[in-house]
Amino acid sequence: MRASLASSIAVTCAAVLALPVSLTAPAAATAPPAAAVALPPAPELPGSTQSLPLEPLGAATRALGDTDASGAQGLTRRDVRPFSLVGVVWDDPAAPLHGTVQVRTRATGGGTWSEWQDVETHNEEHGADPDTAEGSARALRGSTAPLWVGDSDGVEIRVRGEEPLPAGLRLELVDPGEDPAAAPDEAASRTRGAMAPAGRAAPAGPAAPAGRTAVSAAEEAASAVNARLAPYGATWIPALSKEETEREARNTPQAQAAPAGPVAAAAAKPYIGPRPKIITRKGWGADERIREKGFVYTKTIKAAFVHHSATGNNYTCKQAPSVLRSIYRYHVKSSGWRDFGYNFAVDKCGNIYEGRAGGVAKPVMGAHTLGFNTDSMGIAVLGTFSRSAPPAAAVTAIARLTAWKLGLHGVNPKGTSYLISGGGNLYKKGKKVRFNAIAGHRDGFATDCPGGRLYNKLGTARTSSAKYQGRS
């Protein structure tokens, strides 16, 4: 919830949207119209948010036999427009919500109501660092973690506080919309000069129907920052072998690796894991127009913080793009962040997704580990792993992703790195802190994230990541 640095470099670049690994990728790379040509308005992408103010529940809930409703807020059962993800927001981002938030929902068309489900209330440890542009933005709100509930058209919520509840409580109901891949693609029909690595063709959206070439400037920018890795408009960035990855790192011009300079250490000693397949923002359907313009970068990547999204485990891998679109909309539209908070996301099947826009190979400043977003990256595993074990495929994906991305910056996944705290509840601002190169969110902030069961797997991820880099 707080970010932008004097040392960060904001840059406008390129945008995309991608399909899960399990889905068939479209063919034919496309490119935007020439810069001199005015672009027509981009088509409306799916997705919407209903924001409902909560009400005192005392009289209504006591009438139903609930004697613990004093000071509670919520909404009684009601019909609403379709949605798939819920969360609660309030006016003051600095005000904690000490208490419980529970929802139950009705499946669309079925008439069956779920049991009460808990919403994770401790979410303030995510977000941008204090005293940064994003971290002090006027649009910021306090928020719970979002919870994926699947296709629903009815809702009931109750919020009980252990102390006075924060002002302005609202229920956010997010509809991710239909998967854009199922609808006609609006990409332009020409191909950008950027090519995929030798021998590897990356897919892009199909050519636009005759007379329709609508590419938003934000989408164009989000795609261009990955131009050295895949053609314009690609829905995924192809995997490379270790040899191809090392060759690509050696041949990457310094100005292209990162705004502040690339991977001299990696080029000198190529302990870089093979680049994994990464589904782009175009592939999972990110609406680039809702985020803030431009990109914000940090200087380098010294460590990777692993998170769980706390959105629950009741999703299929085919639904993962919808989950991502919902979280993205909740981060931006409901919580007031500039973009999706995490740099990457991983689903239960091990698919890897591009998160915050700015280029997967670049040191993009995220909003994932309050106080330690500088010189780090954040990886969110979709799900909740406090009591549930993370799938082996997800742990392997963490290892493969970090072997590549940390390797680009010369970092040993089994080593340690020092970061300077931007302020938090464990380390005061300015304190130099040593972290494992692959750390858990709880290492930098007093929180349960990434859940005890996932946190206990990070040692395995470090060992595997180092092996992928070719280290003993």
Side-chain angles (χ1 to χ4, degrees):
M1 297 184 214
R2 346 213 191 262
S4 149
L5 297 173
S7 62
S8 298
I9 305 171
V11 178
T12 27
C13 286
V16 240
L17 307 119
L19 288 173
V21 170
S22 58
L23 299 182
T24 303
T30 62
V37 179
L39 297 174
E44 286 299 318
L45 292 178
S48 63
T49 302
Q50 301 170 69
S51 185
L52 310 177
L54 300 192
E55 304 166 350
L57 280 182
T61 54
R62 277 198 298 272
L64 295 174
D66 188 344
T67 59
D68 189 29
S70 179
Q73 294 188 39
L75 295 171
T76 55
R77 288 189 181 189
R78 63 195 57 212
D79 297 336
V80 292
R81 297 193 306 275
F83 68 97
S84 295
L85 179 139
V86 304
V88 173
V89 299
W90 53 93
D91 295 341
D92 184 358
L97 194 167
H98 293 304
T100 60
V101 176
Q102 295 180 307
V103 297
R104 54 184 172 191
T105 56
R106 184 183 61 205
T108 300
T112 302
W113 286 82
S114 71
E115 299 295 324
W116 285 107
Q117 299 184 75
D118 292 324
V119 177
E120 175 58 61
T121 60
H122 302 294
N123 196 47
E124 69 275 9
E125 65 268 22
H126 297 83
D129 291 346
D131 302 326
T132 63
E134 184 179 4
S136 57
R138 296 172 65 181
L140 286 178
R141 292 178 176 178
S143 60
T144 67
L147 177 68
W148 176 261
V149 295
D151 294 342
S152 306
D153 60 10
V155 69
E156 181 178 9
I157 181 171
R158 60 190 184 194
V159 180
R160 295 189 178 93
E162 298 167 359
E163 56 187 46
L165 294 171
L169 290 172
R170 303 183 71 88
L171 173 64
E172 304 288 289
L173 303 175
V174 181
D175 172 21
E178 296 298 324
D179 189 333
D185 196 289
E186 301 292 340
S189 59
R190 292 195 300 276
T191 303
R192 199 182 274 285
M195 299 298 292
R200 301 289 177 120
R212 300 176 70 187
T213 56
V215 179
S216 73
E219 183 179 352
E220 181 182 348
S223 187
V225 282
N226 290 317
R228 290 189 60 83
L229 310 182
Y232 175 83
T235 54
W236 46 266
I237 294 167
L240 297 180
S241 68
K242 192 173 190 304
E243 293 73 21
E244 289 170 325
T245 302
E246 292 171 357
R247 187 184 311 120
E248 182 181 75
R250 287 193 297 269
N251 295 335
T252 298
Q254 181 145 348
Q256 290 292 333
V263 289
K269 185 69 173 178
Y271 283 123
I272 308 173
R275 187 180 75 200
K277 181 176 181 178
I278 302 172
I279 299 167
T280 64
R281 288 170 64 92
K282 184 175 182 68
W284 56 262
D287 183 347
E288 301 296 348
R289 297 164 301 175
I290 70 173
R291 64 172 172 83
E292 288 189 21
K293 294 180 181 179
F295 312 117
V296 178
Y297 297 96
T298 185
K299 291 182 178 179
T300 187
I301 300 296
K302 296 181 179 180
F305 285 101
V306 177
H307 305 253
H308 65 177
S309 63
T311 46
N313 302 318
N314 297 323
Y315 72 95
T316 65
C317 294
K318 186 177 180 179
Q319 290 175 320
S322 295
V323 177
L324 289 171
R325 291 196 302 277
S326 298
I327 296 174
Y328 172 46
R329 181 171 283 274
Y330 183 74
H331 282 178
V332 176
K333 290 294 191 180
S334 300
S335 302
W337 300 4
R338 76 183 320 273
D339 192 357
F340 189 83
Y342 309 102
N343 299 102
F344 296 92
V346 171
D347 69 23
K348 61 175 65 175
C349 291
N351 298 313
I352 299 170
Y353 301 84
E354 178 183 18
R356 180 163 287 209
V360 297
K362 298 177 184 288
V364 178
M365 173 76 79
H368 48 83
T369 305
L370 186 66
F372 293 102
N373 291 302
T374 299
D375 295 343
S376 73
M377 65 186 241
I379 304 168
V381 181
L382 299 182
T384 303
F385 302 106
S386 301
R387 297 181 179 86
S388 299
V395 178
T396 298
I398 293 170
R400 292 180 61 83
L401 175 59
T402 53
W404 171 68
K405 187 64 181 279
L406 292 179
L408 290 178
H409 296 272
V411 176
N412 183 346
K414 290 169 61 177
T416 59
S417 298
Y418 284 92
L419 299 175
I420 305 299
S421 174
N425 66 359
L426 276 184
Y427 302 105
K428 65 181 181 180
K429 184 177 180 180
K431 183 174 179 58
K432 189 176 183 179
V433 184
R434 187 172 73 170
F435 291 101
N436 287 314
I438 300 177
H441 186 183
R442 62 173 64 180
D443 294 322
F445 202 99
T447 174
D448 175 64
C449 186
R453 301 294 293 274
L454 177 54
Y455 186 81
N456 290 340
K457 293 292 185 180
L458 296 187
T460 300
R462 294 181 196 112
T463 300
S464 298
S465 182
K467 289 180 178 178
Y468 285 128
Q469 284 190 350
R471 300 177 188 269
S472 56

